[in-house]
């Protein structure tokens, strides 16, 4: 089946008792048993829930995965992946990962003896150089936030496979509509469902996808044993949202491409970063790695641009009306963020400058509104 057909139908059979077309919210913590130890396959709400299962099957299908395991947040998904490992194990990760991921691995897992190497995974040779005999996983985020630097999933997957190391990819920024890491050889793909998968800025959730039966079995065990599960209602909301994932991602991408092109034409902007622009340093990799034709749907909904100073950035941010100044991304409404003072304020200034995250950098999460209105908002905000 095609992606849009799967998005609407995968994992969802009509409910058996009433024929309800939409998977119900099974808002229950427990299930009646007909005799001691005799049950329907459903015993307890943390362990099994039909609404959650429908969501897991749905997203797994969209990522070409045999297994999907859902969690109460993206970080709960990451932390459960981390619990696959033991004291002394070593992980190589993208140096510019989502801030919460970095905080989790360094501040929380560090004290349990998990060893980390943070490298620029856009250079495969840096990944290779960081590998040790005790390396168990390479964890990459591509594109990164907010500089939209890509890592070559297939090339890193080849390196990992040869050495029996797992490759996990945080696929939050593109969603399975634009990027499917498992098809490129990754073992694990994960999402903050809070972003594009839910797409309506009203749920916090996470999910892990894999074709590796052994990893899936361990994660399923940990999902229950650790217990960071999503509520039935949240699972239902995300399942409702994935039905329109293709439509939303097309609109996000189309609008983002138009905005990136508009910004490129302006001469008062220092740099525009968008993987769908030929000026992106990894445009060729983006074309190989990201799905769908660019001319039509762009390459994701995130656009970053740089103006000359913090003062100029602040003036623009204060004048924007349609774009809401807020953290997070991936919702139908357009958001704007100033990473140096918001999401990345905890990163020391020298470090920010080193990676190119300057005070004049503005990040857009382009929504699904009319592109003309969004461009007009940018134009009036940059005037004068
Ligand atoms: C938001 C985000 C996360 C964390 O997800 P939560 O749902 O907020 O816990 C992880 N990775 C990326 C790329 C994100 O944007």
């Amino acid at each position: 089946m095609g992606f849009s057909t799967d998005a609407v139908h995968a994992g969802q059979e009509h409910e058996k008792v009433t024929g309800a077309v939409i998977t119900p919210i099974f808002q229950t913590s427990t299930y009646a048993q007909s005799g001691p130890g005799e049950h329907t396959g459903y015993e307890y709400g943390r362990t099994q829930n039909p609404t959650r299962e429908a969501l897991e099957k749905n997203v797994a299908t969209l990522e070409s995965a045999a297994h999907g395991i859902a969690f109460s947040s993206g970080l709960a998904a990451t932390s459960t992946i981390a619990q696959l490992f033991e004291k002394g194990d070593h992980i190589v990760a993208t140096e510019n990962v989502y801030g919460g991921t970095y905080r989790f691995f360094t501040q929380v897992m560090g004290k349990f003896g998990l060893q980390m190497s943070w490298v620029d995974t856009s250079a495969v040779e840096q990944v290779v150089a960081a590998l040790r005999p005790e390396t168990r996983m390479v964890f990459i985020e591509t594109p990164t936030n907010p500089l939209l630097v890509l890592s070559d999933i297939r090339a890193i997957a080849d390196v990992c496979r040869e050495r029996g190391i797992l490759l996990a990819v945080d696929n939050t920024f593109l969603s399975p509509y634009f990027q499917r890491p498992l098809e490129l050889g990754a073992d694990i793909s994960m999402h903050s469902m809070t972003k594009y998968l839910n797409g309506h800025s009203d749920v916090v959730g996470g999910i892990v996808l894999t074709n590796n039966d052994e990893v899936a079995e361990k994660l399923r065990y940990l999902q229950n044993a650790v217990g960071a599960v999503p509520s039935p209602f949240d699972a239902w909301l995300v399942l409702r949202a994935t039905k329109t994932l293709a439509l939303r991602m097309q609109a996000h991408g189309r609008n983002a491409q138009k905005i990136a092109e508009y910004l490129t034409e302006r001469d008062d902007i220092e740099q525009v970063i968008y993987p769908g622009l030929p000026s992106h340093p990894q445009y060729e990799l983006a074309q190989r790695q990201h799905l769908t034709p660019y001319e039509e749907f762009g390459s994701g909904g995130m656009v970053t641009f740089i103006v000359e100073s913090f003062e100029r950035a602040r003036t623009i941010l204060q004048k924007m009306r349609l774009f809401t100044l807020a953290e997070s991304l991936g919702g139908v409404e357009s958001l704007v963020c100033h990473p140096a003072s918001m999401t990345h304020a905890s990163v020391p200034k020298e470090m920010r400058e080193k990676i190119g995250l300057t005070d004049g950098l503005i990040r857009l999460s382009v929504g699904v509104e009319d592109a003309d209105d969004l461009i007009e908002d940018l134009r009036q905000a940059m005037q004068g």
Side-chain angles (χ1 to χ4, degrees), residues 71-78 97-101 139 141-145 170-174 190-195 203-207 328-329 363:
F71 297 94
S72 53
S73 70
L75 271 176
T78 304
V97 279
Y98 176 75
T101 305
F139 184 100
E141 194 176 305
T142 178
T144 59
N145 171 32
D170 184 334
N171 198 28
T172 301
F173 259 47
L174 286 174
M190 62 81 53
H191 288 269
S192 165
M193 296 197 294
T194 315
K195 316 298 166 49
V203 171
V204 172
I207 196 160
S328 199
L329 60 116
R363 186 194 81 179

Side-chain angles (χ1 to χ4, degrees), residues 146-147 273 304-307 337-339 356-363:
L147 291 157
I273 308 171
T304 293
F305 66 103
I306 300 175
V307 294
C337 165
H338 182 247
L357 206 164
T358 56
D359 287 351
L361 186 146
I362 295 174
R363 186 194 81 179

